[in-house]
Amino acid sequence: MRDMTTSTAAHTAAAVLADSTAYAEAVGTAAKAAAAYYATGESSLDDDAYDRLVRGIEAYEQAHPDEVSAESPTGKVAGGAAVGDVPHTVPMLSLDNVFSAEQLRTWAASLERRIGRPVERWSVEPKLDGLAIAARYEEGRLTRLITRGDGSAGEDVSHAIGTVIGLPDHLAEPVTLEVRGEVLMTNDQFEQANTARTAHGGAPFANPRNGAAGTLRAKDREYRVEMTFFGYGALPLPDSDTACAGQLTDRPHSGLMEYVADLGVHTAAATLVAPRTVTTVEDIEARVEEIGALRPQLPFGIDGIVIKADLAADRSAAGSGSRAPRWAIAYKLPAVEKVTTLLGVEWNVGRTGIIAPRAVLAPVEIDGSTVGYATLHNPADITRRDLRIGDHVMVYKAGDIIPRIEAPVAHLRTGDEKPIPFPEACPQCGSEIDTSEQRWRCVRGRNCRLVASVSYAAGRDQLDIEGLGVTRVVQLVEAGLVGDFADLFALTREQLLGLDRMGETSTDNLLAAIETAKARPLSRVFCALGVRGTGRSMSRRIARHFATMEHIRAADAEALQRVDGIGVEKAALVVAELAELGTLIDRLVETGVNMTEPGATPPADASEKDAADAVVAGNAGPLDGMTVVVTGAMTGVLEKLSRNQMNELVERAGGKSSSSVSQRTSLLVAGENAGSKREKAEQLGTRIVGPDEFAELVADFLDRAAA
Ligand code: IVH
């Protein structure tokens, strides 16, 4: 199992409370944070800090049971202030936490000891990072929404009915019951909420959970913001008929959730991390690990995994404490969000002249690594988020994703924060900046970063010119021999010999490598151009679709949109880019660089397009219509192929290459040490082949793969 144990433990080591003063202070801080969180969703402590504090309080209370304060968050149902006056028919409990596989096993064993038999089946589900809510349905009609409040009474937030996706106004059957679950903002909803909020002069929400909390309680907003509900439980109401009540209380939890979903309520069933039932603790651990690994891909936040005894008999035998049920536990995942300070913003010029801001942060440890930088998309994004230097910002990082700033924590502002200065001239070359688009760009475009753009063109996945590393490119540019990458093809032996550290052998080798590069397929030549909005995979799609550079250049935006993955905006950008690159392309053609894609046929006129597509599809090859993912190290005849070359091979053989396994994946090529992608494909029942079997399948296309 992935070692969540150590990384979690490292982050959540309990705060050490030395004496009763430290204890009282900690209780005060925790109570304040919890009250603020339950009231508005805004807390000055991130989850990790809160957990650490509460566990420190717990440890102190264990050692000093006679000093336990009435204010302590450990003794209360919800750990927060009482809010609201609608009594819950059955208390809305919280969950106890475990932080490691070992603690999970100890908990499961103690539960089994308590009920005197093994738990027959467990439900393992995502712990959704939002707010608990009770939705009351009377005869199938949604009548009331109530927050958890202090667990025994909550606040009536029925005004939010209609803005919560997943809670239908009417159920599929006219039943009376209460559905309980979590209201949250998906990442998209959070972005939309902050756009709407800042457009109306409000401060942005720091993170999706704060967004959901604030939005749920807000009445009479001028703008509408949506949230999403995920049901995780249901119970009868006093007016439920007996048959229905029996159905709800006697079913296994998994069956109950199926019933709730059949009634039309949204649950986590349709997500990547759908609840599963398993029978052993080892299986729970495996699923915990899977859900943890899937976390970065989810379009909503989770902060753990909830494990529940599935059968009603096991649950009632276990019973509940005053704060939490004994039949369920939350396995907390490491926090992926931390509050830190925005120290400054750096402006970096990319290969195509784009000037991109990057946030410099006070280093903060998130999920096992130190984060010192985060992406900021463009100046408009900075303005929209109302970020200022010195701000406390909520930073999110999960798995391999690039850390991002969610938003400033506006209520922590002191007034000393400073506006972020935007550059007035290109930070690379001092030229003017073209600010007409959202992404700012040096007016010199690619020429601003000549070395970077020539090195990119010569790179392994583009023209693959051996011996032409960055140092050599710098030399060529500084000697005035190269002003764009077409100049590479005009270099003479004498010119190269005149450079430092260029002997006869290296010169001849470089010239030979440049000559070889002239014959690369169009997809690579196109990629070498560095057209904005197109990378390796898009370049292959364009080259295969149009077959020749002439056809690509002749294409208007409409024709470009026929390429899979090109929409209106990208089509317009590519057309503009190709016009800008016109002279360079002409010169490449003149120097004899190949401008055709082997095996591809140009599209017929639009009017004949459907017929032509049919012909192309008929000839496409053994992977026709298949989406193929390659993972792990290739062996045998495929051993030397880079991932890019494998993807090229897939596409030559008629398939579509993709980097992640999903329901749409038709085939996984799994090499040595294939990890989570293989596991996911196995779960999804996707066809899996090894490198040798795959090589046989695409044998006819193999010889061209490394071209
Ligand atoms: S079961 C009595 N299931 O986590 C059982 N809770 O930290 C309590 N939560 O108050 C709830 N996802 O707001 C349950 N799949 C899930 C959950 C979940 C998120 C929340 C819920 C609860 C809190 C405890």
Side-chain angles (χ1 to χ4, degrees):
M1 144 159 230
R2 183 173 82 113
D3 198 2
M4 287 188 228
T5 324
T6 42
S7 66
T8 309
H11 293 300
T12 52
V16 179
L17 306 176
D19 52 27
S20 58
T21 319
Y23 170 75
E25 206 171 290
V27 167
T29 310
K32 233 197 269 164
Y37 171 66
Y38 284 100
T40 65
E42 291 199 350
S43 161
S44 42
L45 293 180
D46 53 46
D47 276 5
D48 233 13
Y50 184 76
D51 271 345
R52 230 176 348 201
L53 197 63
V54 172
R55 292 188 314 118
I57 293 171
E58 253 165 22
Y60 187 87
E61 289 175 353
Q62 248 174 26
H64 309 86
D66 47 332
E67 287 182 35
V68 175
S69 148
E71 290 292 298
S72 168
T74 57
K76 283 210 217 145
V77 175
V83 183
D85 52 7
V86 185
H88 292 298
T89 51
V90 173
M92 282 186 88
L93 298 184
S94 187
L95 290 169
D96 285 331
N97 296 324
V98 290
F99 296 88
S100 67
E102 199 190 326
Q103 290 177 359
L104 172 71
R105 285 192 286 268
T106 308
W107 169 77
S110 75
L111 172 56
E112 294 186 332
R113 262 200 313 279
R114 176 179 281 274
I115 66 172
R117 56 175 186 263
V119 168
E120 201 171 309
R121 204 164 59 209
W122 305 95
S123 170
V124 188
E125 47 196 79
K127 184 170 186 304
L128 303 144
D129 193 6
L131 291 102
I133 197 156
R136 291 190 182 163
Y137 281 93
E138 290 169 55
E139 293 173 1
R141 196 171 67 84
L142 178 57
T143 52
R144 220 162 193 200
L145 290 185
I146 309 150
T147 64
R148 181 170 66 179
D150 68 352
S152 53
E155 194 181 356
D156 189 328
V157 287
S158 305
H159 54 264
I161 292 178
T163 58
V164 186
I165 312 286
L167 273 175
D169 286 345
H170 287 89
L171 297 176
E173 292 172 22
V175 283
T176 296
L177 50 74
E178 181 170 295
V179 182
R180 290 183 176 179
E182 205 83 348
V183 174
L184 52 72
M185 274 186 181
T186 61
N187 298 342
D188 282 349
Q189 286 169 339
F190 171 63
E191 290 296 328
Q192 283 157 15
N194 274 353
T195 305
R197 220 167 132 76
T198 45
H200 284 81
F205 293 120
N207 62 18
R209 195 189 42 218
N210 290 356
T215 305
L216 196 58
R217 304 187 72 243
K219 286 189 187 142
D220 307 326
R221 281 242 177 90
E222 288 166 41
Y223 49 93
R224 189 184 135 95
V225 171
E226 284 184 344
M227 294 163 284
T228 300
F229 177 83
F230 287 87
Y232 55 61
L235 59 152
L237 285 168
D239 288 343
S240 299
D241 69 46
T242 357
C244 170
Q247 285 266 12
L248 297 176
T249 45
D250 301 344
R251 286 191 193 218
H253 172 70
S254 51
L256 177 62
M257 292 323 295
E258 267 170 40
Y259 173 61
V260 166
D262 287 346
L263 288 175
V265 173
H266 186 236
T267 67
T271 69
L272 266 182
V273 289
R276 292 259 173 84
T277 51
V278 300
T279 50
T280 67
V281 176
E282 288 71 36
D283 290 343
I284 301 179
E285 288 173 27
R287 185 62 181 156
V288 163
E289 192 187 348
E290 277 164 16
I291 295 181
L294 289 166
R295 187 186 198 187
Q297 292 171 42
L298 296 175
F300 50 84
I302 63 170
D303 59 344
I305 293 103
V306 183
I307 298 116
K308 301 171 179 170
D310 195 42
L311 298 196
D314 287 345
R315 288 200 307 268
S316 54
S320 293
S322 63
R323 196 190 97 92
R326 291 190 202 95
W327 44 264
I329 199 85
Y331 188 124
K332 294 281 276 198
L333 288 173
V336 282
E337 253 180 354
K338 285 280 176 72
V339 176
T340 187
T341 313
L342 176 63
L343 299 177
V345 172
E346 285 178 359
W347 298 84
N348 299 311
V349 188
R351 182 170 44 78
T352 59
I354 296 281
I355 303 169
R358 179 166 87 147
V360 183
L361 306 168
V364 60
E365 172 128 341
I366 309 183
D367 196 7
S369 61
T370 304
V371 174
Y373 297 96
T375 43
L376 290 169
H377 301 287
N378 52 54
D381 187 53
I382 294 178
T383 310
R384 189 175 57 77
R385 287 162 188 257
D386 188 25
L387 285 171
R388 299 175 206 169
I389 290 172
D391 258 339
H392 286 83
V393 287
M394 190 64 87
V395 179
Y396 179 94
K397 179 193 167 283
D400 294 336
I401 73 156
I402 301 168
R404 64 165 192 260
I405 290 187
E406 300 218 288
V409 187
H411 73 282
L412 291 181
R413 280 195 172 141
T414 59
D416 291 337
E417 297 75 18
K418 302 269 177 315
I420 293 173
F422 289 177
E424 285 171 5
C426 170
Q428 177 77 20
C429 71
S431 303
E432 272 178 46
I433 299 177
D434 174 359
T435 59
S436 60
E437 311 248 338
Q438 283 223 333
R439 306 188 75 188
W440 290 8
R441 196 173 180 219
C442 170
V443 289
R444 291 180 63 216
R446 288 171 175 77
N447 287 339
C448 173
R449 293 293 313 276
L450 192 54
V451 169
S453 58
V454 173
S455 305
Y456 175 79
R460 185 169 180 212
D461 293 335
Q462 288 70 248
L463 298 178
D464 196 12
I465 307 180
E466 214 170 302
L468 197 59
V470 178
T471 327
R472 194 67 80 208
V473 175
V474 170
Q475 232 182 342
L476 292 169
V477 168
E478 283 179 355
L481 297 176
V482 165
D484 61 32
F485 87 83
D487 286 340
L488 294 175
F489 299 99
L491 288 171
T492 64
R493 200 163 187 274
E494 289 63 43
Q495 285 173 332
L496 289 177
L497 282 171
L499 298 174
D500 275 356
R501 302 183 308 282
M502 276 303 267
E504 301 225 337
T505 315
S506 14
T507 298
D508 290 340
N509 287 346
L510 182 55
L511 285 171
I514 292 174
E515 195 54 33
T516 309
K518 282 188 183 170
R520 299 275 180 240
L522 174 63
S523 49
R524 283 167 166 258
V525 176
F526 187 88
C527 190
L529 291 171
V531 173
R532 279 192 286 154
T534 69
R536 289 171 304 197
S537 136
M538 181 57 77
S539 298
R540 288 197 298 272
R541 262 179 268 159
I542 293 175
R544 285 199 61 75
H545 182 90
F546 290 104
T548 74
M549 181 65 92
E550 228 179 318
H551 281 85
I552 300 179
R553 294 176 84 179
D556 57 13
E558 198 189 321
L560 273 162
Q561 282 175 57
R562 289 194 204 111
V563 177
D564 190 17
I566 299 196
V568 182
E569 270 178 41
K570 189 164 281 188
L573 177 64
V574 173
V575 169
E577 285 276 289
L578 286 171
E580 185 180 311
L581 291 161
T583 323
L584 173 64
I585 300 172
D586 287 343
R587 292 187 40 244
L588 289 170
V589 173
E590 274 163 31
T591 52
V593 172
N594 169 57
M595 291 288 165
T596 59
E597 184 67 1
T601 19
D605 287 349
S607 54
E608 298 162 29
K609 187 190 160 289
D610 292 343
D613 275 357
V615 175
V616 171
N619 293 338
L623 304 181
D624 180 22
M626 293 169 79
T627 299
V628 182
V629 176
V630 180
T631 189
M634 292 299 113
T635 46
V637 286
L638 304 179
E639 187 178 352
K640 295 239 153 55
L641 298 195
S642 66
R643 194 47 39 89
N644 185 50
Q645 287 172 323
M646 283 298 291
N647 290 340
E648 285 175 340
L649 177 58
V650 166
E651 288 164 24
R652 271 183 221 291
K656 210 170 142 183
S657 63
S658 165
S659 56
S660 59
V661 175
S662 72
Q663 308 271 17
R664 285 189 297 277
T665 310
S666 348
L667 180 71
L668 179 80
V669 185
E672 277 176 8
N673 300 324
S676 60
K677 289 187 192 170
R678 185 185 182 113
E679 279 168 29
K680 193 161 165 209
E682 278 167 0
Q683 281 161 25
L684 291 169
T686 312
R687 184 177 160 204
I688 302 175
V689 294
D692 291 343
E693 196 182 333
F694 183 70
E696 254 172 56
L697 196 64
V698 296
D700 289 350
F701 298 80
L702 243 181
D703 49 339
R704 282 195 251 122

